[in-house]
Amino acid sequence: MSFITIILLAVALSIDACVVSFAHGLVLPDKRVRNSLMLALFTGVAQGIMPTIGYFSTQVVYKYVAPASKWLVFAIFLYLGIKFIQEAFEKDKEIPLCLSLQCLFMIAIATSIDALAAGVSISLTKTPILFPACLIACTTFMFAILGYWSGYCLKKFSTKYLEIFAGLVLIALALKSLF
């Protein structure tokens, strides 16, 4: 994967954490700095760990999937892109709005499942995982902070367009993987 592709992937994967943080910023007026940092830390770490898990789990079965790797990368990114766009049009999405340790773990896992699949794609493109995992984690951390404070400041901004953008980026990465 090229540097630009990894950056686009990191941005697309961080959108879920940004949206969840945005929702929390809208409704949680107390302890804003602590809340934003906790959300960013938990989602950022999870987003760095999950692609690593996906990457190494793929290494175990790589010889079996290598012949179809280009098509698997395409299918994974296309699926994720379509899923992001579909979720943008769902009405009244339920976002857990608590920040207990248990809630933070659940938010971190829920927002990073897509990163697990991305780790599989990274592995199939034979890209070393360290840089992408760190970039995904740092990008997610920054986007979660940005999302929280945007939610706090803007109160009425729709996240629909962010999710559509992320979906389109993932679909573009899917198409790029074929060439």
Side-chain angles (χ1 to χ4, degrees):
M1 283 187 175
S2 71
F3 179 71
I4 297 296
T5 301
I6 294 169
I7 289 173
L8 291 173
L9 178 60
V11 168
L13 290 174
S14 68
I15 296 296
D16 281 350
C18 182
V19 169
V20 169
S21 295
F22 180 88
H24 282 78
L26 284 173
V27 298
L28 297 176
D30 298 331
K31 303 177 187 173
R32 290 186 301 270
V33 172
R34 179 194 172 281
N35 290 344
S36 65
L37 288 174
M38 291 300 286
L39 279 164
L41 179 66
F42 274 77
T43 57
V45 169
Q47 288 276 25
I49 291 172
M50 290 297 242
T52 306
I53 292 170
Y55 182 92
F56 286 112
S57 63
T58 304
Q59 296 295 318
V60 174
V61 295
Y62 181 76
K63 64 183 173 187
Y64 305 109
V65 297
S69 63
K70 178 171 41 168
W71 291 102
L72 287 170
V73 170
F74 170 77
I76 290 168
F77 280 153
L78 183 64
Y79 168 76
L80 291 174
I82 291 169
K83 180 177 164 258
F84 271 53
I85 293 170
Q86 284 176 332
E87 288 176 357
F89 291 99
E90 290 177 2
K91 293 186 178 187
D92 299 328
K93 289 182 272 187
E94 191 67 33
I95 299 175
L97 293 177
C98 76
L99 289 180
S100 68
L101 210 49
Q102 181 181 6
C103 284
L104 285 167
F105 276 115
M106 290 172 56
I107 290 167
I109 291 169
T111 59
S112 64
I113 295 297
D114 298 339
L116 183 72
V120 171
S121 295
I122 292 167
S123 175
L124 293 174
T125 61
K126 297 184 180 182
T127 303
I129 190 62
L130 182 62
F131 176 70
C134 290
L135 185 64
I136 291 167
C138 291
T139 302
T140 300
F141 182 89
M142 291 185 306
F143 270 55
I145 295 274
L146 177 67
Y148 185 90
W149 288 99
S150 296
Y152 175 72
C153 293
L154 300 176
K155 301 282 185 200
K156 295 290 179 188
F157 180 73
S158 172
T159 61
K160 177 181 187 177
Y161 301 108
L162 290 173
E163 294 178 81
I164 292 170
F165 172 73
L168 292 173
V169 166
L170 287 166
I171 290 171
L173 291 176
L175 293 173
K176 182 184 177 298
S177 73
L178 294 177
F179 302 103

